[in-house]
Amino acid sequence: MITSQPDAHGHFGPYGGRYVPEVLMNPLEELEQAYIAARKDPTFQAELNDLLANYAGRPTPLYYAKRLSTNLDGAEIYIKREDLLHTGAHKINNCLGQVLLARRMGKKRIIAETGAGQHGVATATVCALFGLKCRVYMGEEDMRRQRLNVFRMRLLGAEVVGVGTGSKTLKDAISEAMRDWVTNVADTYYLLGSALGSHPYPLMVRDFHSCIGIEAREQILKATGRLPDSIFACVGGGSNAIGIFHAFIGDASVKLIGIEAGGRGPELGEHAARMTGSLPGVLQGAYSYLLQDADGQVALTHSISAGLDYAMIGPEHAWLADRGRAEYVNCSDAEALDAACVLSRTEGLIPALESSHAVAEAIKQAPGAKGQIFIVSLSGRGDKDIDIYRENLKDLDEPDTHK
Amino acid sequence: MSPTRISKRFEQLREKGEPGLVAYITAGDPSLERTPDLVFALERGGADFIELGVPFSDPIADGPVIQRGSARALANGTNVAKVLDIARRVREKSQIPLLLFSYMNPLLRYGFERLAKDAVAAGIDGCLLTDLSVEEAEHHLGALRTAGLDTVFLAAPTSPPERLALVARYSTGFIYLVSRTGVTGEQDTVSDAVGPLVAATRKLTSLPLAVGFGIAKARDAAVVGAIAEAVVVGSAFVRLIENNAASPDLDAKLEALARELKQGAVSARKKT
Ligand SMILES: Cc1ncc(COP(=O)(O)O)c(C=O)c1O
């Protein structure tokens, strides 16, 4: 049976590890020790489970999308409703886990990066809940396209710091957060928002999201009496995907499908599809597949969804891909937009643009899959993306559509 | 491994009772053509070692000054091969010890085996990668050492004795002590962390110790020169290059700053 656990130094096969300035090596070691101790501590787990249930809203439903399935006349599609969680996306699972850890470690100040702003909002939320100082780094381009989330973070009492270097997106926000952490490491906890970065982050973030897959596995067995045939999840850094995949890794019959951002096209710079021919490299603490040029400079990326717009895939995904346990495909900006419209109108669910990529792939594969069962991770709801939907669906935005 | 130009220079400095000056500049800033002349200017001013920065797109350990220098160098098309060309041009006229200073990915992409061979052929003496921990370096050290390159690692105020011992074990040539927790960039004073870090590292190694991050003035060079074998200065030179990129006096200004810093460092030993 295939399993997926890192070695003692946080390597998933050749990937992952700790590629950071020496200043951070001991703090990462301390974080790992604190996490291992917390993981074994029943009071930590009890407090986390209580917050997940009563504050965040777990378990989330596994919803049978009957109209969508009927219209496509193929696979039976079930939707894992992470969009129903407090703050509107899966990100809160990880933030609750890490904030409890930060408190346990006696840290008074929390920093985070954010792309789509969902992780930033979830971080600002848990900091408000625990009375901790919170600073969120966000690329200026992302601040523009996810303006609503910038305001939500500020309303929650967090300080949002714009990052104007590089592509002004998630990658640049992570660099700036790492520089802050290097400087203020004694009292500051870096609450990283995806299954990325140096060990123990990819492991820890995955563990905190593994409830998604554990619930989904029980729910689908209860609903249908069998395991699903395929699971679809979008992959930015890879946290919602690894969270839903993990409980199924040992179930060889279940196909695990990660969907990356195909953006505007296949040329370097136009997409964030790391698994279509990029080479492994080192960025921001880890070794994994990385979009880069021939000189090893990190390539610019593009996606309509800020949360998928990043040059590296999380190391555990790289390893699952190499071993053939998961497969990675991509959907274009246009396909994601179409899928969002379809889901909105057949099921009354307006998805986040990130999640729309997973929906798009399920819609693509469903017609040829009669008799099969699909699960789609609906990692977040679309409120944050309304401005982007409006820009792209101009005909819906006329003052009077009855002309 | 026979001693590199780095070890030989530290030996000469020891005989003279003089601390060394390590000067960092980003190769290709303000242009690929000018970098060799900037190295010669720094040498005339008294720099003992040159760190040639190979720019990386995402320099997480660098503050704004070196970030901007890296961006300028990248815009000029700087890559590993072109930095090795610069080293060859320096070697036509000078035997100053040269280190490649970079992040992991540009070198990984070039290939460590190939890099080791080409770097030695170009006259490079050592290699220092900011985001390469000793733990992850294991696989790559063989190639660099076999080719005859020194591998320098960083130690930091957050490194406990076990990690200092690891850093000492994996380093050759010298050990680079990071003066404070933080990114590169000029500071007003030398961090209080330096003294204890130097003392703790001394207990574990006989390698020369170079202290850097934040040192920008002769006064600070003196503080460091009193207790370490070398002072590393980077952002102050890169800022001077930024502010005088188009000036015909750039070489002279760099030379003057190097002289000031070297004299600062040397003055500390004279007093004691
Ligand atoms: C709703 C939603 N889904 C997915 C992602 C992508 O992140 P990950 O791949 O870590 O799940 C984001 C990131 O911002 C998000 O907001």
Side-chain angles (χ1 to χ4, degrees), chain A residues 88-91 114-119 193-195 234-241 306-308 352 354-355 379-381 384:
Chain A
H90 69 293
K91 300 283 180 186
T114 195
Q118 288 303 113
H119 174 60
S194 190
C234 66
V235 187
S239 69
N240 88 89
L308 305 186
E354 290 78 14
S355 323
S379 55
R381 59 179 149 90
K384 72 179 178 66

Side-chain angles (χ1 to χ4, degrees), chain A residues 8-9 11 17-33 185 198-199, chain B residues 129-138 152-171 175-178 197 200-205 207 209:
Chain A
H9 289 288
H11 298 108
R18 262 182 204 154
Y19 294 84
V20 288
E22 173 63 24
V23 174
L24 294 179
M25 287 301 286
N26 198 58
L28 284 166
E29 179 65 31
E30 287 172 359
L31 177 61
E32 181 187 353
Q33 293 312 320
V185 65
S198 288
H199 181 60
Chain B
L129 299 176
T130 319
D131 59 349
L132 182 59
S133 57
V134 287
E135 280 85 344
E136 303 294 349
E138 210 56 86
V152 178
F153 286 91
L154 297 119
T158 53
S159 311
E162 314 84 77
R163 292 205 58 82
L164 292 180
L166 265 182
V167 167
R169 178 140 53 84
Y170 282 87
S171 295
I175 297 175
Y176 188 137
L177 304 183
V178 175
L197 180 57
T201 312
R202 285 265 185 249
K203 288 195 198 140
L204 299 163
T205 182
L207 282 172
L209 306 181

